[in-house]
């Protein structure tokens, strides 16, 4: 973020395969690639980032995660579209580009409002499918060259968005410069990312995985944008991924006015100690405590001869399973609504992913909710499971049974 080399390692998880590298049966016998999963703290700007960067070609070209499989997310991005239409006074002539657009989850509602949209996403297959469904999506990693080509061919965009994508990118200077090429003087860069404050307060350590290079705060981002003659002028808290921030960034000299709320966010971040290394050392200790709590709980349940299964095979689940060493000897299977993952095995831990209907067929005693951000809708959906004597285990912030 700030180019300082004053980095200190604060969190060390175990080496793990890429969190979305699910395996088919024949791949189980082959050796998997494990990469270090450790986090550095920048003592100058307070940025939190991975120590090792896995090539984006490995992580994103054959991406499995399709955003619109989650109805909660679809609703979230409908709200997002409404928010930017109102806040930035967009109209039918507006052109919006989304970086890491996936299957068009944000661009879809914007297009329905009559706007011109363009997605950019390196996941070749997802990009192709999105294009077929009417959301034009270029299968590229964004850089200055790609941005220049887009600006020539499609024109400049009033708004460029990057949702749950910005923190995935190693070379942020390149991205910020690319966005500057794509936007006019009053153009706005909107970024949504899991917020470091929620990450720390809710102990969301399992959101550490190779795709997430950065763990972002307003204070650290300020240093980045300042170097590129840009500034965050507005921000909104949203609930996705356990607590995220949607920020609005402008070019220096544009018509947008910086709101006081930005100063307030930075003051809160400093008050919470986000700029201090001790905060992260304490956090690392909390991860260890929770590891003991959850693994002991699971062992006790297994000792009673009970059956435990997992709900959700999200990327973050694989950080938790690998670091806590939870494999098929503890979880019989994991259910996930994504058809892409069903029939495959979790990376590193080799637990099979099954369709949701398997819960009704096998009637397990406990469900460990790995997709904890969807815990409430799941528990509502499985009211009968609960009535029949089943229980849920929620792994974060402190592992507990519901
Ligand atoms: Zn820094």
């Amino acid at each position: 973020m700030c180019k300082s080399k004053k980095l200190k390692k604060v969190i060390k998880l175990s080496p793990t395969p890429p969190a979305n590298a699910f395996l088919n049966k024949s791949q189980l016998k082959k050796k998997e690639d494990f990469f270090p999963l450790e986090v550095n703290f920048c003592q100058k700007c307070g940025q939190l980032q991975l120590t090792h960067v896995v090539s984006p070609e490995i992580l994103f070209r054959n991406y499995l995660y399709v955003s619109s499989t989650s109805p909660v997310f679809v609703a979230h991005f409908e709200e997002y579209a409404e928010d930017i239409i109102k806040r930035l006074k967009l109209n039918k002539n507006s052109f919006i580009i989304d970086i890491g657009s996936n299957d068009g989850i944000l661009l879809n509602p914007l297009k329905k409002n009559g706007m011109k949209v363009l997605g950019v996403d390196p996941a070749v297959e997802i990009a192709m499918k999105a294009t077929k469904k009417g959301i034009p999506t270029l299968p590229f990693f964004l850089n200055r060259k790609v941005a220049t080509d887009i600006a020539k061919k499609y024109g400049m965009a009033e708004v460029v968005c990057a949702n749950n994508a910005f923190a995935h990118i190693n070379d942020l200077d390149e991205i910020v410069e690319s966005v500057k090429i794509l936007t006019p003087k009053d153009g706005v860069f909107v970024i949504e990312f899991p917020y470091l404050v929620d990450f720390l307060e809710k102990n969301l350590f399992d959101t550490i995985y190779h795709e997430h290079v950065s763990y972002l705060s307003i204070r650290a981002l300020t240093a980045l944008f300042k170097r590129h003659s840009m500034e965050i002028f507005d921000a909104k808290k949203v609930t996705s991924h356990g607590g995220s921030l949607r920020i609005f960034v402008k070019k220096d000299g544009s018509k947008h006015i910086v709101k006081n709320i930005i100063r307030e966010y930075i003051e809160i971040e400093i008050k919470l100690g986000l700029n201090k290394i001790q905060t992260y050392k304490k956090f690392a200790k909390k991860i260890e405590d929770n590891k003991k709590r959850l693994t002991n709980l699971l062992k006790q349940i297994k000792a009673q001869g009970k059956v435990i299964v997992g709900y959700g095979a999200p990327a973050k689940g694989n950080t938790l399973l690998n670091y806590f060493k939870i494999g098929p000897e503890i979880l019989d299977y994991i259910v996930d609504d994504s058809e892409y993952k069903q029939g495959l095995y979790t990376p590193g831990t080799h637990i099979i992913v099954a369709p949701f209907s398997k819960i009704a067929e096998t009637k397990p005693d406990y469900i460990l909710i790995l997709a904890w951000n969807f815990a409430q809708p799941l528990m509502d959906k499985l009211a009968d499971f609960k009535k029949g004597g089943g229980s849920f285990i929620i792994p974060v912030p402190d592992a507990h049974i519901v």
Side-chain angles (χ1 to χ4, degrees):
M1 284 284 180
C2 72
K3 299 280 178 195
S4 164
K5 293 202 166 88
K6 286 176 69 183
L7 303 173
K8 272 257 158 63
K9 194 181 290 175
V10 286
I11 300 169
K12 191 170 186 248
L13 305 178
S14 45
T16 304
N20 276 310
F22 286 81
L23 307 162
N24 61 34
K25 206 161 190 180
S26 67
Q27 288 169 317
L28 284 180
K29 291 175 204 124
K30 291 184 198 147
K31 204 174 154 277
E32 287 176 90
D33 288 327
F34 283 68
F35 300 94
L37 198 50
E38 300 170 3
V39 181
N40 271 342
F41 169 72
C42 172
Q43 292 177 291
K44 192 168 169 227
C45 72
Q47 164 68 343
L48 207 61
Q49 63 195 18
L50 291 188
T51 57
H52 292 73
V53 176
V54 178
S55 161
E57 288 289 339
I58 296 176
L59 294 180
F60 301 117
R61 279 294 182 203
N62 303 304
Y63 213 45
L64 282 180
Y65 175 75
V66 182
S67 312
S68 299
T69 46
S70 153
V72 178
F73 258 158
V74 172
H76 172 76
F77 282 103
E78 279 165 3
E79 179 279 330
Y80 184 122
E82 269 172 45
D83 181 36
I84 62 170
I85 289 171
K86 265 194 215 141
R87 200 184 291 254
L88 305 173
K89 300 187 177 64
L90 304 181
N91 58 52
K92 288 202 188 311
N93 298 318
S94 302
F95 176 33
I96 297 106
I97 294 175
D98 192 16
I99 308 169
S101 50
N102 200 280
D103 60 353
I105 192 164
L106 168 66
L107 296 179
N108 218 13
L110 291 169
K111 196 188 165 199
K112 277 185 192 150
N113 275 283
M115 289 158 197
K116 185 179 159 192
V117 298
L118 179 69
V120 184
D121 198 304
V124 186
E125 207 169 307
I126 295 176
M128 195 180 68
K129 281 186 184 156
T131 304
K132 266 190 196 155
K133 271 182 15 196
I135 304 293
T137 306
L138 305 173
F140 303 134
F141 288 102
L142 184 68
N143 55 34
R144 274 177 280 195
K145 163 86 175 58
V146 170
T148 308
D149 291 348
I150 292 174
K152 257 189 222 152
K153 193 170 168 196
Y154 299 86
M156 283 191 173
E158 282 168 73
V159 181
V160 175
C161 301
N163 310 307
N164 304 308
F166 194 71
H168 295 189
I169 297 163
N170 185 33
D171 191 347
L172 293 175
D173 291 317
E174 183 73 26
I175 286 300
V176 174
E177 283 304 316
S178 304
V179 170
K180 285 178 80 173
I181 291 170
L182 288 171
T183 46
K185 180 172 155 273
D186 290 329
V188 176
F189 187 20
V190 188
I191 313 171
E192 194 169 282
F193 53 86
Y195 190 24
L196 184 59
V197 167
D198 296 282
F199 172 84
L200 291 171
E201 288 194 328
K202 297 171 192 162
N203 195 20
L204 308 182
F205 79 93
D206 56 349
T207 60
I208 299 172
Y209 47 91
H210 300 108
E211 287 171 22
H212 294 164
V213 180
S214 307
Y215 303 83
L216 299 166
S217 64
I218 296 232
R219 184 170 168 269
L221 281 165
T222 301
L224 170 75
F225 288 119
K226 199 171 179 186
R227 272 194 293 116
H228 292 281
S229 308
M230 292 182 87
E231 193 172 6
I232 305 169
F233 69 94
D234 205 355
K236 181 188 178 179
K237 281 213 77 169
V238 289
T239 54
S240 10
H241 296 294
S244 294
L245 212 54
R246 182 180 303 156
I247 64 165
F248 301 82
V249 189
K250 69 178 192 77
K251 291 181 176 180
D252 284 356
S254 95
K255 67 177 182 186
H256 303 284
I257 312 275
V258 179
K259 292 197 178 156
N260 287 334
I261 196 172
I262 302 306
R263 178 111 306 274
E264 288 162 19
Y265 270 111
I266 294 174
E267 277 164 16
I268 290 169
E269 289 175 4
I270 291 173
K271 208 167 145 195
L272 292 171
L274 264 60
N275 54 334
K276 292 204 179 87
I277 195 161
Q278 289 87 336
T279 306
Y280 302 95
K281 287 185 172 163
K282 251 190 240 164
F283 181 75
K285 165 106 184 17
K286 258 179 29 188
I287 301 174
E288 292 310 309
D289 292 347
N290 198 37
K291 179 180 181 180
K292 267 181 222 147
R293 195 193 315 252
L294 181 63
T295 48
N296 285 338
L297 184 67
L298 295 173
K299 266 184 215 151
Q300 280 167 19
I301 294 171
K302 285 310 282 182
Q304 295 162 11
K306 306 277 189 193
V307 173
I308 315 171
V309 304
Y311 170 75
K316 60 178 174 282
N318 289 323
T319 294
L320 187 138
L321 296 173
N322 276 289
Y323 187 53
F324 288 7
K325 298 198 168 29
I326 298 169
E329 68 292 344
I330 295 178
L331 298 182
D332 284 24
Y333 57 85
I334 293 173
V335 294
D336 196 282
D337 295 325
S338 167
E339 284 175 23
Y340 292 88
K341 291 180 183 173
Q342 291 166 8
L344 299 179
Y345 295 80
T346 54
T349 49
H350 302 178
I351 304 166
I352 190 150
V353 181
F356 197 81
S357 55
K358 187 132 187 195
I359 290 179
E361 283 164 30
T362 64
K363 299 192 174 56
D365 303 296
Y366 289 86
I367 297 175
L368 172 65
I369 304 182
L370 295 162
W372 43 254
N373 43 333
F374 301 128
Q376 200 51 55
L378 171 81
M379 293 194 286
D380 295 344
K381 188 170 161 186
L382 283 180
D384 286 344
F385 166 79
K386 185 102 212 291
K387 271 186 212 141
S391 302
F392 299 99
I393 306 165
I394 298 180
V396 296
D398 294 306
H400 63 281
I401 295 177
V402 176

